[in-house]
Amino acid sequence: MAKIDYKQISKRVFYLILPVIFAFIVGAILIIISGHNPIEAYSAMFRGALVGKSALYNTLFSATPIIVTGLAISVAFKANLFNMGVEGQMYLGAFAAAYVGFTLKGIPTVIHVLLCIVAAIIAGGLFALIPGVLKGRFNVNEMVVTIMLNYVAILLTDYLTNFVFYSGEGYAATYPIEQSAYLPRFMKTSQLNFAFLIAIVMVCIVYYIFKYTRLGFEIKAIGHNVSFAEATGMNTRKKTIIIMVVSGMLAGVAGAGEILGVHHRFIAGFSPGYGWDGMTIALLGKNNPIGILIAALFFGILKNGGSTMELMVGVPRSLISIIQGLIIFFLAVDYLNTEFSFMSRLKLMFRRKVRS
Amino acid sequence: MIEAILHTSLRMATPIVLAALGGLFTHKANVLNIALEGMMLIGAFAGVIASFATGSIFIAIISAIVASMLFALLFNVFGITLKGNFIITGLAVNIFAAGLTSFVLQVAFGRRGVFSDPKIVGTTPIHIEFLDKIPFIGPILNNHSPMVYVSIIIAILVYFVLNHTKYGIYVRAVGENEEAAKAIGIKVNRIKYSTVYISAILCALAGINLSLGNLTMFVENMTNGRGFIALAAIFCGRGTTLGTYVFSFLFGFADSIQMRLQNLNIPGTFIQMIPFIFIVLVLSIVGAVRMIGNLDRGIKDE
């Protein structure tokens, strides 16, 4: 076993925290411009997210769906495939879970829940098969396809809830699922439910896949260098399809968790962009399942605390998405793997400016 | 009937055309510009705000361009100078633009989601006399907002610049072989920077067309994927100016069919899927055609 290089690790952690700090600083400037006190706003945010049992539970609850979407995206990202369709795959997964939830009746709870989740996995996987095949067979840019398919999935489920399975209750939702398909909650005052445990199980599964399986190795190989992987005899076309489908399956699980644990029925447009949040989280967690878990918990704090901040201090919640965008900016730059470090690159830039 | 559909197609296609022509420059310089969406959105937003504040459409256009250029600068610094991943940087621009517009809307104007006000001045449709005399083509081309005509002129300009100027050759050289371009003394980064700025200007015009052309209001996320549709148009058109224009128009056509079908008694959401499914189909067909006769069996890097 290799010796652990603490200096290297601390450097790596520092470069991961740096973007977050930058983003918060820019956020603070925006808060000042809008006429509020940034310290007050941020402390309201963290207090709202962390102080008290139910606040803590709600933070975990906010983190639940994005843990899984983060994992879904990381599987594809790691292979250098940009699956931007996690949002859509999640919608279809959620709908499939709801469908199984309200059509099957009189089944024991555990089996019903499992069936719902399996349905979601199948739906998400099948939907991801389309961009997978297009990329694998015809080398069509997967990013544009998956983004277009997002709209298709959202509109399709919208149609199904509004016309085919409309519950007639004034808002666009299907019939409620059977009680036997509910994921139980941990406590009455918080919506935190067993979906969180499912998310943790998914973290373990993805960790196992990455670390110990052939597929995990192949994902890494394709991500590093497709041509080399191809040259060593790997069927990268087939693997591309498989990776895409696995990513879609995970997205389906995220959808199922939301339906079975929170809404108990499919609601049109239920996701405020969990698929997109998953992308930030996959980046922040550096495609490492444990990192993703931590990143998702951090985002849970931002999300849950964001509403407290809006209520208490009056700073709009959209600040959170600004911070999110900024974090991605700073994360896009790979500070460690570029030939120069970030700082020396900056110095070089300034020196050039001075000279010219 | 057909004339009306084509008239609407041209109207719906215009923001896509403008964004796609902008994206074409970056595409030629081998910079994947996902940020089209965000630059369009911020252009639309800045245009509306400036129009609201000053009542001048000219100032609105200038502000849209400036705002869009600032976002292009972000893209350039993080994507090109600091060598970040273009896809990730571009998405950051999009998320940042979406967040910032709704933040400013709420902080400065106390609105959520939609910003409309009688004080906002939009562009007025242009009526061209001599087009009335031409049958069929006349009614299609006439009575559009000015950006529609601007987009046609820009398409011709882009064709000319890319194919018949030194700058165009430089851009293509950078896109085809960066090392070689560097070796003959082309300032690669400067060319890349400039292509992103050009796409920002065109995206700003596209945004203006969205928010001040047909409507005079800003709606959160009003670009609704048009930036990505523009990218699809570039891919489908194989990076040629004419191809890009034709596919942008086709996507506008799909949009206008969708709008027309909604008047019939078919559920709206079902119909709205048409343009998106159409794009996926076209992309697959173009991809399949490209594969035929291609002996390369691997997945090549983009």
Side-chain angles (χ1 to χ4, degrees):
Chain A
M1 194 164 164
K3 215 169 71 183
I4 301 168
D5 187 352
Y6 286 107
K7 205 178 159 198
Q8 191 65 28
I9 289 176
S10 60
K11 202 172 158 193
R12 202 165 277 188
V13 169
F14 172 70
Y15 278 119
L16 271 180
I17 295 174
L18 202 62
V20 177
I21 295 171
F22 278 150
F24 269 94
I25 292 172
V26 180
I29 295 169
L30 283 172
I31 295 174
I32 293 171
I33 293 172
S34 65
H36 297 282
N37 183 344
I39 297 169
E40 225 174 87
Y42 284 147
S43 73
M45 188 174 85
F46 283 106
R47 253 184 296 127
L50 295 172
V51 177
K53 196 178 173 194
S54 73
L56 216 58
Y57 270 39
N58 283 334
T59 297
L60 293 183
F61 166 71
S62 307
T64 304
I66 50 185
I67 294 172
V68 189
T69 52
L71 289 173
I73 292 197
S74 75
V75 170
F77 263 16
K78 207 163 186 167
N80 238 337
L81 288 168
F82 285 84
N83 180 11
M84 298 292 145
V86 166
E87 183 91 1
Q89 290 143 18
M90 182 182 64
Y91 265 92
L92 280 191
F95 191 85
Y99 180 78
V100 174
F102 62 68
T103 43
L104 295 181
K105 288 183 171 82
I107 319 172
T109 302
V110 179
I111 297 173
H112 199 174
V113 167
L114 278 178
L115 282 176
C116 288
I117 294 175
V118 168
I121 289 176
I122 293 172
L126 280 181
F127 199 54
L129 190 65
I130 303 170
V133 168
L134 286 179
K135 173 75 178 181
R137 294 287 314 166
F138 306 127
N139 197 20
V140 178
N141 187 298
E142 76 282 12
M143 199 178 49
V144 175
V145 175
T146 48
I147 287 169
M148 293 301 129
L149 288 177
N150 277 341
Y151 293 100
V152 175
I154 293 168
L155 289 167
L156 180 68
T157 51
D158 211 343
Y159 165 74
L160 289 174
T161 27
N162 270 311
F163 293 95
V164 189
F165 302 105
Y166 183 51
S167 65
E169 282 178 51
Y171 63 111
T174 61
Y175 320 118
I177 60 172
E178 294 292 304
Q179 207 120 40
S180 54
Y182 282 21
L183 286 170
R185 290 185 183 172
F186 288 110
M187 72 189 266
K188 281 222 171 74
T189 54
S190 164
Q191 287 187 295
L192 183 69
N193 56 67
F194 271 61
F196 181 71
L197 295 184
I198 295 175
I200 300 294
V201 171
M202 290 300 140
V203 170
C204 300
I205 291 175
V206 173
Y207 184 82
Y208 180 80
I209 290 177
F210 279 163
K211 193 114 191 186
Y212 299 109
T213 65
R214 195 192 155 112
L215 179 68
F217 170 73
E218 285 166 335
I219 289 174
K220 232 183 282 174
I222 291 176
H224 273 303
N225 192 336
V226 192
S227 313
F228 184 73
E230 173 87 26
T232 52
M234 199 183 286
N235 188 346
T236 52
R237 286 178 166 198
K238 208 170 123 198
K239 285 293 174 299
T240 300
I241 299 173
I242 291 174
I243 292 165
M244 228 34 185
V245 169
V246 169
S247 176
M249 285 167 148
L250 279 164
V253 173
E258 282 298 285
I259 298 307
L260 306 180
V262 191
H263 304 300
H264 301 313
R265 52 172 44 180
F266 184 87
I267 299 173
F270 72 93
S271 159
Y274 293 134
W276 301 104
D277 291 342
M279 204 189 59
T280 322
I281 285 153
L283 288 170
L284 196 56
K286 292 274 167 206
N287 296 334
N288 174 334
I290 310 294
I292 286 168
L293 181 62
I294 296 168
L297 291 176
F298 170 67
F299 260 76
I301 295 173
L302 290 187
K303 270 177 174 291
N304 187 24
S307 35
T308 317
M309 180 181 74
E310 188 169 272
L311 274 172
M312 307 280 284
V313 193
V315 176
R317 221 176 306 177
S318 42
L319 182 79
I320 303 298
S321 51
I322 294 181
I323 289 181
Q324 194 176 338
L326 289 167
I327 290 177
I328 306 178
F329 265 123
F330 294 115
L331 279 173
V333 185
D334 202 343
Y335 304 101
L336 289 173
N337 289 343
T338 38
E339 35 204 310
F340 308 109
S341 79
F342 174 61
M343 288 302 165
S344 60
R345 194 174 279 277
L346 268 185
K347 273 182 211 154
L348 208 74
M349 259 173 70
F350 279 113
R351 224 176 288 154
R352 252 187 237 149
K353 287 254 166 66
V354 170
R355 246 185 247 157
S356 62
Chain B
M1 169 80 173
I2 295 170
E3 284 162 6
I5 290 178
L6 288 176
H7 186 268
T8 321
S9 312
L10 197 59
R11 183 161 65 87
M12 298 308 288
T14 298
I16 302 171
V17 166
L18 284 166
L21 290 173
L24 191 59
F25 273 95
T26 52
H27 179 80
K28 285 283 181 202
N30 204 13
V31 174
L32 186 57
N33 192 353
I34 310 291
L36 296 175
E37 182 94 3
M39 296 200 271
M40 239 192 316
L41 189 68
I42 202 75
F45 182 69
V48 163
I49 297 298
S51 170
F52 170 73
T54 64
S56 152
I57 196 73
F58 179 72
I59 296 176
I61 292 173
I62 298 294
S63 333
I65 290 176
V66 170
S68 182
M69 295 271 266
L70 284 176
F71 273 69
L73 177 68
L74 272 178
F75 183 85
N76 277 336
V77 168
F78 284 99
I80 295 171
T81 308
L82 295 172
K83 297 210 186 307
N85 183 318
F86 288 136
I87 295 181
I88 297 170
T89 323
L91 283 163
V93 169
N94 294 344
I95 292 175
F96 187 42
L100 194 66
T101 48
S102 85
F103 183 80
V104 173
L105 214 54
Q106 209 170 331
V107 168
F109 301 96
R111 316 279 175 99
R112 259 193 189 178
V114 183
F115 182 70
S116 70
D117 195 288
K119 274 202 272 178
I120 301 171
V121 180
T123 54
T124 38
I126 294 177
H127 182 80
I128 303 169
E129 287 287 333
F130 80 89
L131 280 176
D132 283 341
K133 287 169 196 146
I134 307 167
F136 190 65
I137 295 173
I140 296 171
L141 284 176
N142 217 342
N143 297 322
H144 280 295
S145 93
M147 279 312 160
V148 175
Y149 305 107
V150 170
S151 76
I152 295 170
I153 296 165
I154 286 179
I156 297 165
L157 263 178
V158 167
Y159 176 81
F160 180 77
V161 169
L162 276 177
N163 296 301
H164 297 286
T165 62
K166 206 158 104 183
Y167 176 72
I169 294 170
Y170 282 2
V171 169
R172 281 183 289 147
V174 168
E176 270 156 31
N177 192 336
E178 211 177 306
E179 293 306 314
K182 212 179 267 174
I184 58 165
I186 297 176
K187 294 219 162 53
V188 173
N189 275 9
R190 199 169 291 177
I191 294 286
K192 283 185 175 173
Y193 260 66
S194 64
T195 59
V196 178
Y197 287 133
I198 291 172
S199 66
I201 294 170
L202 296 188
C203 281
L205 297 181
I208 286 281
N209 183 59
L210 275 178
S211 62
L212 296 176
N214 311 313
L215 316 156
T216 47
M217 57 155 90
F218 177 82
V219 186
E220 259 178 42
N221 263 325
M222 73 186 310
T223 43
N224 195 22
R226 284 190 180 80
F228 294 105
I229 296 176
L231 270 185
I234 299 169
F235 288 135
C236 292
R238 296 194 179 190
T240 62
T241 315
L242 184 67
T244 305
Y245 191 91
V246 167
F247 278 102
S248 303
F249 184 80
L250 265 180
F251 296 151
F253 180 70
D255 231 358
S256 104
I257 292 283
Q258 173 256 112
M259 284 167 74
R260 189 144 286 256
L261 285 176
Q262 272 191 43
N263 297 337
L264 306 174
N265 218 356
I266 308 171
T269 47
F270 205 73
I271 305 296
Q272 280 165 23
M273 288 195 287
I274 291 176
F276 300 112
I277 293 176
F278 180 70
I279 289 168
V280 173
L281 280 179
V282 170
L283 272 170
S284 348
I285 292 166
V286 170
V289 168
R290 197 176 300 181
M291 266 295 152
I292 293 169
N294 189 352
L295 293 176
D296 197 336
R297 60 189 203 95
I299 301 156
K300 280 265 180 200
D301 290 351
E302 291 288 337

